[in-house]
Amino acid sequence: MLEIYDIGMRLGRRALLALAGTVRGENPSKFMRFACGQKKAVAEAVSVLSGLDRRRPTVWIHAASLGEFGIARPIIRQLKEKSDCNIVLTFFSPTGYESLKPKCPDGIDAVLYLPFDTSGNVKCFLDALKPDCAVFMVSEYWHGYLSELHKRGIPTLLVSAVIRESSPFFKWYGPLYRESISYFKEIFVLNDRSKDLLEGIDIKNVTVNGDPLFDNVSLVASTPWADKIVGNFADGHKVFIAGSLHDDEDLKMVTELANKHRDTRFIIVPHEIGGTIITHLREALDGKMLLYSQCNPETDFSDTQTLVIDFVGALAYIYRYATWAYVGGGFTKLLHSIIEPAVYGLPVAFGPNIDRKVVTRQMIDLGIGKSVSTSDELNTWFEGLKENPEKLREIAAVAADYVSKNSGATRRVVNKITENLCAKK
């Protein structure tokens, strides 16, 4: 079955490279940027990895996109504190690669695209990387990579996995996934149900662990950070922040809420910056809107209701300026991080597709989070909190306790990585 998968991957890669050759203009779409990234992925990896200090062991950490990097970030920080090693971070999505490649975060020795999962790419990439340990985030089951890592005896860990009855392991095409997940030396899952399901298909190396995202958001929240433009906009006002707005449903809900509450200031942070989203916001919002890029620290915001953040990478820090939050992606399968605003004690609303993440149900049960399906539901939730400082204080206290109780997962993952590094010496 792996051979059939490899043929499919090779055909897909060939199509991507053909598409990459058609890119024109200054602002290609995310998919076209991905295609261009794959065109250079192998050559770039070979070039960059040749400069690693081979006197140190190498840990490969793979995250699908910038969201999963939030899980990896505290792992990287603690790992660097405990071990003198190279850390190579790969992304499949252009969002993560483009955000971190220009300036590698502290502790990371290289940021690369993960080359497409073909047998040739896999062998070339691993020959150049020479990892001593590999760590995959959440649900990255790249069959070619996992099979080759297993053949080479490279210990591989899966972190923050959630397994459900609907997961691919239990589908008609499940045998390939069951074989691939068996190659992980250790699997850290987020709940007991995930462990039970994996043990039901004879996967025994499973540990129930918290989510390193809690450690990451705590680190971000405790990091001194300020933005003069955002601070000027928020100064003396309560601010509603809408982060990672993902699709038209998100935009409709938030813009209608802003139009109903013209006395409230809004910060909107689209998941991806593009002319279409900006045009939509300009057309939908009744109050004056400014882009961050149009402003400076002395900008007069007296008649401005909405500030749109038209750059990426700072959302987790900007939440500290807000009183209430809405997180996008909940009308798709890609609800973004609702822990990021919760760490600041904010009540958080999000769309109705909540089954993908364990924390959504937990936060709803605790009264921190609220799933909404319509603009009216979002408005009702907001109005119940808008002039209720006592309720806001109560939510802030519950959120702080929730984040505190779920912290510490990173340490257990890092301990397991360092154990494997020591075993290979």
Side-chain angles (χ1 to χ4, degrees):
M1 200 165 184
L2 184 60
E3 291 79 7
I4 297 173
Y5 169 83
D6 185 53
I7 291 171
M9 287 290 106
R10 281 188 277 137
L11 291 173
R13 180 176 182 271
R14 189 175 301 170
L16 273 177
L17 297 186
L19 275 174
T22 68
V23 174
R24 300 289 184 275
E26 296 182 357
N27 297 301
S29 68
K30 180 179 179 180
F31 182 78
M32 296 304 284
R33 299 198 317 271
F34 165 70
C36 291
Q38 283 299 318
K39 187 175 183 178
K40 65 178 183 179
V42 174
E44 180 185 42
V46 171
S47 174
V48 170
L49 295 173
S50 65
L52 289 183
D53 181 355
R54 294 301 177 180
R55 294 170 297 180
R56 304 189 297 175
T58 297
V59 178
W60 169 28
I61 296 180
H62 175 64
S65 64
L66 201 56
E68 283 75 12
F69 174 65
I71 303 170
R73 185 170 179 262
I75 294 172
I76 292 167
R77 182 176 63 89
Q78 288 194 23
L79 183 58
K80 277 292 192 177
E81 292 173 355
K82 290 193 66 172
S83 176
D84 182 24
C85 62
N86 300 311
I87 293 182
V88 175
L89 175 67
T90 58
F91 289 102
F92 200 62
S93 162
T95 308
Y97 174 87
E98 292 166 358
S99 296
L100 300 186
K101 179 66 176 180
K103 186 178 184 299
C104 277
D106 290 343
I108 299 175
D109 296 275
V111 176
L112 299 167
Y113 269 119
L114 178 70
F116 220 61
D117 192 21
T118 66
S119 56
N121 278 358
V122 167
K123 290 175 183 176
C124 187
F125 179 74
L126 292 180
D127 286 346
L129 178 59
K130 299 179 178 63
D132 294 281
C133 183
V135 186
F136 287 17
M137 300 294 121
V138 186
S139 57
E140 291 296 276
Y141 310 118
W142 294 107
H143 308 299
Y145 281 103
L146 289 171
S147 176
E148 189 65 22
L149 287 165
H150 178 69
K151 288 178 185 176
R152 298 185 184 205
I154 298 167
T156 306
L157 284 63
L158 180 63
V159 177
S160 290
V162 178
I163 310 300
R164 304 180 181 85
E165 289 83 351
S166 59
S167 296
F169 314 102
F170 313 108
K171 304 291 187 181
W172 64 266
Y173 49 85
L176 181 59
Y177 280 87
R178 292 196 290 272
E179 181 179 1
S180 293
I181 201 169
S182 72
Y183 295 147
F184 286 107
K185 186 172 183 180
E186 187 76 29
I187 301 169
F188 292 96
V189 297
L190 295 184
N191 55 20
D192 291 322
R193 183 57 179 158
S194 295
K195 182 177 182 181
D196 292 343
L197 287 169
L198 287 176
E199 290 181 343
I201 55 173
D202 205 33
I203 305 296
K204 305 297 185 184
N205 50 331
V206 184
T207 300
V208 179
N209 193 35
D211 194 334
L213 271 176
F214 285 96
D215 297 310
N216 182 56
V217 297
S218 297
L219 173 64
V220 170
S222 63
T223 300
W225 187 90
D227 185 281
K228 291 182 179 179
I229 293 174
V230 178
N232 182 19
F233 176 76
D235 188 33
H237 300 271
K238 290 183 178 179
V239 175
F240 187 104
I241 186 167
S244 295
L245 294 197
H246 198 91
D247 59 10
D248 289 344
E249 288 291 338
D250 288 331
L251 291 168
K252 178 177 181 292
M253 301 249 301
V254 171
T255 54
E256 289 187 5
L257 184 70
N259 290 340
K260 288 178 181 177
H261 298 275
R262 293 288 301 280
D263 59 331
T264 301
R265 291 198 169 184
F266 280 70
I267 294 176
I268 294 179
V269 188
H271 177 56
E272 289 190 27
I273 309 302
T276 302
I277 290 177
I278 302 303
T279 299
H280 179 109
L281 290 171
R282 290 194 190 281
E283 293 174 349
L285 290 168
D286 295 337
K288 182 179 176 181
M289 177 192 102
L290 285 177
L291 303 180
Y292 181 96
S293 59
Q294 296 174 319
C295 305
N296 61 62
E298 285 73 44
T299 297
D300 181 3
F301 290 114
S302 58
D303 62 346
T304 302
Q305 185 191 11
T306 302
L307 178 65
V308 177
I309 307 299
D310 55 346
F311 67 94
V312 298
L315 175 59
Y317 296 93
I318 294 174
Y319 279 123
R320 66 188 63 195
Y321 287 99
T323 305
W324 318 269
Y326 176 90
V327 172
F331 286 90
T332 72
K333 295 180 180 180
L334 300 172
L335 175 63
H336 296 280
S337 176
I338 60 175
I339 308 173
E340 287 180 352
V343 73
Y344 296 105
L346 307 187
V348 188
F350 37 83
N353 292 343
I354 63 173
D355 293 334
R356 184 170 173 262
K357 296 186 177 183
V358 173
V359 296
T360 49
R361 177 55 57 189
Q362 293 173 340
M363 286 176 57
I364 289 170
D365 291 343
L366 290 170
I368 307 165
K370 176 66 175 179
S371 173
V372 293
S373 300
T374 67
S375 298
D376 287 341
E377 288 181 3
L378 178 60
N379 183 61
T380 299
W381 170 80
F382 177 62
E383 288 186 341
L385 296 170
K386 186 177 180 182
E387 303 298 339
N388 195 340
E390 184 176 342
K391 184 65 176 177
L392 291 174
R393 284 193 294 270
E394 177 186 323
I395 290 172
V398 173
D401 183 62
Y402 174 63
V403 172
S404 176
K405 286 180 177 178
N406 281 279
S407 299
T410 300
R411 183 185 68 256
R412 291 182 284 274
V413 174
V414 170
N415 286 345
K416 184 60 65 173
I417 295 172
T418 53
E419 282 178 23
N420 282 289
L421 292 179
C422 291
K424 288 183 71 67
K425 288 182 179 179

